[in-house]
Amino acid sequence: MKHDETKKILLEDIDHFRLKAKYYETLHLFEAKKYAEKLASNIELALTTMPSDDDTEIC
């Protein structure tokens, strides 16, 4: 799997967890909401350091 394909999947996951957080909020499940938001933020942070397919490899 290429880096850009992985990034696309992770971006979809981020959106999914943020939607889950909103859903949990409507059910007053605040701990679950907080967990989903942190998970989305952590994945987003990991994406900032992930190389793209266009980056040159450092050997």
Side-chain angles (χ1 to χ4, degrees):
M1 184 178 285
K2 301 239 181 222
H3 294 295
D4 290 341
E5 293 171 342
T6 305
K7 280 186 174 186
K8 183 180 178 228
I9 291 169
L10 290 173
L11 287 170
E12 290 171 2
D13 287 346
I14 291 167
D15 291 339
H16 174 75
F17 286 120
R18 291 218 166 107
L19 284 173
K20 283 274 194 189
K22 288 179 184 179
Y23 173 71
Y24 292 146
E25 185 176 27
T26 64
L27 297 176
H28 302 286
L29 298 171
F30 298 111
E31 287 298 317
K33 173 191 177 248
K34 190 166 116 178
Y35 179 79
E37 286 175 343
K38 283 188 175 187
L39 188 53
S41 293
N42 287 341
I43 295 171
E44 198 169 43
L45 181 62
L47 277 177
T48 62
T49 60
M50 187 174 176
S52 69
D53 291 335
D54 298 333
D55 291 343
T56 57
E57 239 182 85
I58 300 172
C59 296

